[in-house]
Amino acid sequence: MAREDVGAPPDHLWVHQEGVYRDEYQRTWVAVVEEETSFIKARVQQVQVPLGDATKPSHLLTSQLPLMWQLYPEERYMDNNSRLWQIQHHLMVRGVQELLLKLLPDD
């Protein structure tokens, strides 16, 4: 099965509202936490979501997801808490661009 080229992953993802992020091109991404026994993954899909006003960070529910991810060398993202997330995959799934990120353990 041939994989469709999805280009480079977003440089930044900023939280806009609970579970919804914006990238540098104002595209919306929906993030869902997947908890495994020993680690956390985030499945992040580029899905068109109508955006209202951004939620203030202080009004967001407590979440394992960060307020921001920034692309970092070696196929990783660094979040606003200086945690590293490995890009497990970046591909098209049923016509939807998807990132699967795995939170790396602290050194």
Side-chain angles (χ1 to χ4, degrees):
M1 178 169 88
R3 287 196 171 167
E4 185 177 338
D5 180 29
V6 294
D11 188 61
H12 284 83
L13 291 167
W14 296 273
V15 71
H16 187 82
Q17 57 199 51
E18 195 69 37
V20 178
Y21 291 78
R22 283 182 302 107
D23 67 15
E24 61 273 17
Y25 301 107
Q26 303 306 309
R27 296 177 298 182
T28 53
W29 297 74
V30 175
V32 177
V33 172
E34 296 181 357
E35 292 187 54
E36 301 288 332
T37 54
S38 59
F39 52 85
I40 296 169
K41 289 185 178 181
R43 187 170 303 275
V44 188
Q45 295 183 329
Q46 199 270 304
V47 179
Q48 186 74 14
V49 175
L51 293 176
D53 292 333
T55 305
K56 294 179 181 179
S58 61
H59 292 142
L60 292 169
L61 300 174
T62 301
S63 173
Q64 294 172 311
L65 296 175
L67 298 176
M68 185 269 303
W69 277 296
Q70 181 176 359
L71 193 58
Y72 202 70
E74 300 176 17
E75 296 191 0
R76 297 178 293 176
Y77 278 95
M78 181 172 283
D79 70 19
N80 59 291
N81 295 314
S82 298
R83 299 179 303 177
L84 289 172
W85 297 71
Q86 185 71 45
I87 299 173
Q88 299 284 289
H89 71 228
H90 177 221
L91 45 85
M92 294 295 277
V93 176
R94 294 181 296 282
V96 175
Q97 191 175 169
E98 178 179 279
L99 286 161
L100 183 62
L101 306 176
K102 178 182 174 184
L103 180 61
L104 296 175
D106 294 330
D107 289 336

